[in-house]
Amino acid sequence: MPPTNTDRASTDRASADRTDTGRTSADYFRQLAAERPDIALCRASTAVARAADAQAQALGIGVGRHLVLKMLAEVGPCSQRVLSDQLRIDRTVMVGLCDSLEEAGHVRRERHATDRRAYAVTLTDTGRQLLDRAEAAVPEFLDSTFGALGPAERKQLATLLGKLLHSTSRP
Amino acid sequence: MPPTNTDRASTDRASADRTDTGRTSADYFRQLAAERPDIALCRASTAVARAADAQAQALGIGVGRHLVLKMLAEVGPCSQRVLSDQLRIDRTVMVGLCDSLEEAGHVRRERHATDRRAYAVTLTDTGRQLLDRAEAAVPEFLDSTFGALGPAERKQLATLLGKLLHSTSRP
DNA sequence: CAGAAATCGTCTGGAGCCAGATTGTTTGAC
DNA sequence: GTCAAACAATCTGGCTCCAGACGATTTCTG
């Protein structure tokens, strides 16, 4: 880490000065990311989210909708509250996701048998078909987005994020 | 598995229960995060960003403003464009950040000497004082937020995120 | 030099996210 | 049984983010 309190304010030419530590403003972000894992995490997240959005849009389904279908397929009918909690999607957002999925016929909102406050959101056949199509594209998407990391590194990353998630969601 | 019409997703999780709708998903998120690093990354990012926001708010400064002051201190006067590029903050957002910093007297907008389209955003003394206070709180914040990871793991995480950032920002 | 193209900062509008209030239903205390 | 509290889903309003358009200024091209 280079000394930070330097006071060099005088001349500021258009091209970055390359006098001292190599680069000052030319690639400041790299230094910042190394020093502040929180910032690195957030910036990486937006980059990945952007890629995921683009890919999901191309498939005619949003990331949130994809996750809802996936969870319904793997867990069975759920209330919106359970979907929200487990997918970490705000409950007021989940309303819109289920609205659009239901309107497209990918999901039915059946009343829960014993608790009529809650729905039992249920996957339909067309929903499962859409999910299968979306799932088929996931591996390639992950390969291209995380292509800079080898298999071992991806596993490392997943482990580290897992620890982080478990700690931050349970203080 | 519940006796729904869906019987195809045969995940070999032995920890399934047979209650009615809802309880099958005791901790679905953990499985999802292990399988989808993109989702894990985004959820971890929002958790960390939330913590950072709370902490920055308590200090009377937002994360974006903090970063602007930090970069100005380490690099010297910058145009808003350079700040935006290096901090990965949208240029239209940078306008508001600089507005509030200038209004509070932490920053001056001087015209660039040779390019009168651009400003030379310059740190003031009060700005440097605020930055020092904010920087003083960073290590403790990082320790508490990334407390689940040991020093070696944090270094791993920084390295992995660095690779990811470098690859995603250069398509 | 003129004029076209690029660049800097700004403004505007649409989209998404989330805290808080609201409605209908269930649960628990008495 | 009755009433208050808790809870599922929804609605509302305020907020931030970002694409695109705009005026002012510079740089490029001939």
Side-chain angles (χ1 to χ4, degrees):
Chain A
M1 269 160 244
T4 56
N5 285 344
T6 61
D7 195 6
R8 102 195 50 135
S10 52
T11 52
D12 178 16
R13 285 290 159 202
S15 62
D17 47 357
R18 47 192 77 157
T19 51
D20 32 27
T21 58
R23 1 184 146 87
T24 55
S25 72
D27 194 1
Y28 177 77
F29 180 67
R30 180 184 288 271
Q31 166 191 343
L32 177 66
E35 169 181 359
R36 291 286 301 265
D38 55 334
I39 305 296
L41 187 65
C42 291
R43 298 303 185 266
S45 166
T46 62
V48 167
R50 205 178 279 266
D53 270 341
Q55 131 108 29
Q57 199 95 17
L59 282 163
I61 185 180
V63 175
R65 279 177 279 270
H66 181 163
L67 292 181
V68 169
L69 295 182
K70 178 175 163 67
M71 179 164 173
L72 291 178
E74 297 181 1
V75 171
C78 283
S79 71
Q80 294 182 190
R81 162 58 87 176
V82 171
L83 289 168
S84 294
D85 285 346
Q86 292 302 314
L87 299 178
R88 305 291 198 270
I89 294 174
D90 190 272
R91 66 196 193 284
T92 66
V93 175
M94 185 58 66
V95 175
L97 294 180
C98 290
D99 279 352
S100 61
L101 284 173
E102 186 179 38
E103 189 180 7
H106 300 315
V107 143
R108 281 193 313 272
R109 269 181 172 125
E110 304 172 347
R111 276 292 169 190
H112 192 287
T114 61
D115 185 347
R116 284 176 39 204
R117 291 173 302 183
Y119 288 131
V121 183
T122 306
L123 195 59
T124 67
D125 286 342
T126 78
R128 190 179 303 277
Q129 289 169 15
L130 178 59
L131 172 63
D132 287 343
R133 247 181 299 145
E135 281 292 301
V138 167
E140 187 183 344
F141 162 73
L142 290 180
D143 271 347
S144 76
T145 305
F146 293 86
L149 307 181
E153 290 175 318
R154 291 186 210 184
K155 188 127 187 141
Q156 268 186 11
L157 182 63
T159 302
L160 295 173
L161 290 176
K163 285 191 183 182
L164 204 53
L165 282 166
H166 192 257
S167 77
T168 49
S169 60
R170 276 192 183 252
Chain B
M1 290 305 243
T4 60
N5 52 1
T6 90
D7 199 312
R8 133 196 186 318
S10 65
T11 53
D12 312 55
R13 290 179 304 117
S15 67
D17 63 84
R18 61 202 52 164
T19 43
D20 213 0
T21 311
R23 291 280 283 268
T24 333
S25 53
D27 195 0
Y28 178 76
F29 180 67
R30 179 183 287 272
Q31 165 191 344
L32 176 66
E35 168 181 359
R36 289 286 302 264
D38 56 333
I39 305 297
L41 188 64
C42 291
R43 297 305 184 265
S45 166
T46 62
V48 167
R50 203 178 279 266
D53 270 341
Q55 131 109 28
Q57 199 94 18
L59 282 163
I61 186 181
V63 175
R65 281 179 279 270
H66 182 164
L67 292 181
V68 169
L69 295 182
K70 178 176 163 68
M71 179 165 173
L72 291 178
E74 296 180 2
V75 171
C78 283
S79 70
Q80 293 182 193
R81 163 57 90 176
V82 172
L83 289 168
S84 294
D85 285 346
Q86 292 302 313
L87 298 178
R88 306 291 198 271
I89 295 173
D90 190 271
R91 65 195 193 286
T92 66
V93 175
M94 185 59 66
V95 174
L97 295 180
C98 289
D99 279 352
S100 62
L101 284 173
E102 186 180 37
E103 189 180 6
H106 299 134
V107 144
R108 281 193 312 273
R109 270 182 173 123
E110 304 172 348
R111 274 294 169 191
H112 192 288
T114 61
D115 186 346
R116 284 175 39 205
R117 291 173 303 184
Y119 289 131
V121 183
T122 306
L123 195 59
T124 67
D125 286 342
T126 77
R128 192 179 302 274
Q129 289 169 15
L130 177 58
L131 172 63
D132 287 344
R133 244 180 301 145
E135 281 293 302
V138 167
E140 187 183 344
F141 162 72
L142 289 180
D143 270 349
S144 76
T145 305
F146 292 87
L149 307 181
E153 289 175 319
R154 291 187 209 184
K155 187 128 189 140
Q156 269 187 9
L157 182 62
T159 302
L160 295 173
L161 291 176
K163 286 191 185 183
L164 204 53
L165 282 166
H166 191 257
S167 76
T168 48
S169 61
R170 249 190 189 249

